[in-house]
Amino acid sequence: MQEQPGAGDAVRRAILGVGALVVALGLGFALIVPPLLGRDEAPHFLRAYHVSEGHVFAASRTEGAPDVCTRPDGSAEDTVSGEVLGGAVPAELVAAMSTLIAANFEDGETARNDFLDRLGDPAPSGPHCIVDFRSTAVYAPLAYVPAAVGIAVTRAFGGSTLAMVYAARLTTLLVCAALVLRALTHARGARGAFAAVALLPVVVFQTSMVSADGTTLATSILAIALAWRLARRQTPVDRRIAVEAAVVVVSLAFLKLPALVLAVPSVVVGLRRRELRRTIALAAVVAVACAAAWSAWSSSAYLPPDPVTFPGSYAYYDTDTARQLEHVLTHPWSFGAAIVRTVGHDGGRIGSELFVQVAGTPTSATWALVTLSAFAASGRTVGGPRRRNERLGWAGVAVVYAIAALALAYLGWNAVGAPRIDEFQGRYLVPCLPLLALALGRRFIGSDDRWLRVAVAVPMLIAGLALLLDVRDAFYA
């Protein structure tokens, strides 16, 4: 889809406007949500701190290693096996994190002054101890680099643990916003859909917390936008874009494992274009090799999650990745049936969380509907592929990605042979949205661009602001 002459400035302003909204709403979440109360934020912060000290691989407890220290949630290690997977961090850091988490609640609500008083504390130092953060220890360090940079800079200036948390949130948000802006520059003809995805409350929230999910989501959006650009043969691609595509393909190998599926469109399209063939082929080989190497290490180091029993749930007990994988390979129809039962049992929750999932508030069907409507409106701006095979290709990648994400949850934290997949979060499927938009969108002709920008931006802004108020009320009312 060709943009009209003179539209360049308007397009740049629109892209910057989306970036400004992402940063503004993200700052709201970063400042309002109490420290370490993002989803699984404490173990993600520990992994980011570990990376900030130059560590790549997590470690288990060995002879002569520092003692195991109590985790911020009050437990020290797996009470069944006694095993630990994490890293050595200052004991003062863990103590400060425990203090922050404890200060978050007083008589059932957050005592904001209690944790803000810790902002001027000295930087954690002193003897190190091994802390268990197994739920994030096997993730590659790339997703934590933005947060690690914020932590390292704050530590260098003697900042407190609380200052490190806020700095890590800020650097993660800024890097993710930059990745989203870059994606929008590539998404000509489909910017409405990509902007709608970037402004989803679940995406903005994840990019403003200390988490591997935010970086993974932003990079995934960029990867899909790049593949969309490479697929438009009428759009010339210079050496700089080819190198960027290669870097993104390799980066996907170091994010959460299903993200590697999103490299497939760029590789397939790149191999079909003569000017990209060599660069993309090399990137694909490197990405597969890196993913295989990291997967081999993480599989050897992996420890199952701490056994927890939720009434009626199959998650977090009797987990064994090797046995579960054997079960899936020998009973593939059973795994398919588990997916169907998961949709039937939790489909509504997962669908709502796909658009709205914010700490401190229950997933709201109302705001999920608002953001879904805005996303649907954005679909009118999609210059969708004309040929049926191309549409099926984008849809196929979305299906494969969804199955891979479900398989990871089934293998990682569900009981062996479980009849369904429990504790699966809707945010894991966010990358499917732009893929489906590209598969279903029609060429946009003759409509009002300004109306479409309003149809996308205004509902997202209203939903984001309303959720910020909900989070404030949930924690501080």
Side-chain angles (χ1 to χ4, degrees), residues 238-459:
D238 57 22
R239 182 69 176 174
R240 178 176 55 84
I241 300 299
V243 171
E244 181 181 355
V247 170
V248 170
V249 166
V250 174
S251 297
L252 292 171
F254 291 102
L255 299 175
K256 286 190 172 182
L257 190 58
L260 189 60
V261 174
L262 302 177
V264 172
S266 291
V267 171
V268 171
V269 173
L271 292 178
R272 294 171 61 184
R273 296 187 64 157
R274 181 176 300 177
E275 67 272 30
L276 297 173
R277 194 168 298 158
R278 183 176 299 179
T279 302
I280 295 298
L282 178 61
V285 171
V286 173
V288 170
C290 290
W294 188 266
S295 179
W297 174 82
S298 61
S299 297
S300 65
Y302 176 79
L303 290 179
D306 294 332
V308 178
T309 301
F310 297 108
S313 174
Y314 296 97
Y316 304 123
Y317 77 93
D318 190 25
T319 57
D320 187 316
T321 302
R323 288 171 54 207
Q324 189 78 297
L325 178 60
E326 181 181 359
H327 172 76
V328 170
L329 294 177
T330 56
H331 302 84
W333 293 111
S334 176
F335 174 59
I339 294 177
V340 173
R341 293 190 192 98
T342 301
V343 174
H345 185 266
D346 276 336
R349 175 188 61 79
I350 293 172
S352 295
E353 289 178 352
L354 181 58
F355 298 94
V356 179
Q357 187 183 26
V358 177
T361 62
T363 300
S364 168
T366 301
W367 295 120
L369 182 61
V370 169
T371 53
L372 172 61
S373 300
F375 182 76
S378 75
R380 295 185 63 194
T381 68
V382 175
R386 290 180 174 180
R387 290 182 295 182
R388 180 183 178 186
N389 288 345
E390 292 181 20
R391 290 196 294 270
L392 290 176
W394 293 113
V397 174
V399 171
V400 172
Y401 182 90
I403 293 174
L406 287 161
L408 185 64
Y410 195 58
L411 296 173
W413 60 82
N414 273 262
V416 175
R420 66 171 184 265
I421 306 168
D422 282 339
E423 293 302 311
F424 184 83
Q425 308 297 312
R427 68 178 183 272
Y428 302 153
L429 299 179
V430 167
C432 295
L433 292 177
L435 290 168
L436 292 176
L438 296 178
L440 300 175
R442 294 180 297 176
R443 184 163 293 277
F444 173 62
I445 299 175
S447 295
D448 185 358
D449 287 337
R450 181 177 300 175
W451 182 88
L452 283 165
R453 286 198 294 271
V454 171
V456 173
V458 171

Side-chain angles (χ1 to χ4, degrees), residues 121-132:
D121 287 354
S125 59
H128 281 47
C129 62
I130 294 287
V131 63
D132 188 295

Side-chain angles (χ1 to χ4, degrees), residues 6-206:
D9 291 340
V11 169
R12 281 190 291 271
R13 286 195 298 270
I15 291 174
L16 291 175
V18 172
L21 279 177
V22 170
V23 173
L25 293 173
L27 279 175
F29 285 122
L31 296 175
I32 291 177
V33 176
L36 304 175
L37 287 195
R39 296 189 180 272
D40 300 321
E41 192 172 22
H44 281 295
F45 178 78
L46 285 168
R47 176 59 169 150
Y49 190 96
H50 195 234
V51 172
S52 76
E53 291 194 322
H55 301 288
V56 173
F57 300 99
S60 57
R61 188 181 186 185
T62 58
E63 292 297 327
D67 291 335
V68 175
C69 55
T70 302
R71 288 184 292 195
D73 64 2
S75 60
E77 56 191 32
D78 188 327
T79 56
V80 175
S81 67
E83 296 177 290
V84 172
L85 181 63
V89 300
E92 289 184 2
L93 175 76
V94 182
M97 291 176 65
S98 300
T99 300
L100 287 174
I101 292 174
N104 278 324
F105 297 98
E106 185 176 89
D107 297 329
E109 65 182 49
T110 299
R112 188 178 181 89
N113 291 337
D114 285 352
F115 71 77
L116 286 180
D117 288 343
R118 319 305 304 182
L119 195 59
D121 287 354
S125 59
H128 281 47
C129 62
I130 294 287
V131 63
D132 188 295
F133 47 87
R134 66 184 64 192
S135 61
T136 59
V138 294
Y139 293 153
L142 180 63
Y144 294 101
V145 168
V149 170
I151 292 171
V153 171
T154 306
R155 184 173 59 237
F157 284 94
S160 63
T161 300
L162 179 56
M164 291 180 190
V165 172
Y166 283 133
R169 287 179 174 182
L170 178 61
T171 50
T172 301
L173 173 62
L174 293 177
V175 169
C176 290
L179 292 173
V180 166
L181 287 176
R182 189 60 185 162
L184 291 175
T185 64
H186 292 307
R188 176 179 297 181
R191 289 191 178 109
F194 281 90
V197 173
L199 288 169
L200 288 174
V202 63
V203 175
V204 176
F205 177 78
Q206 289 298 325

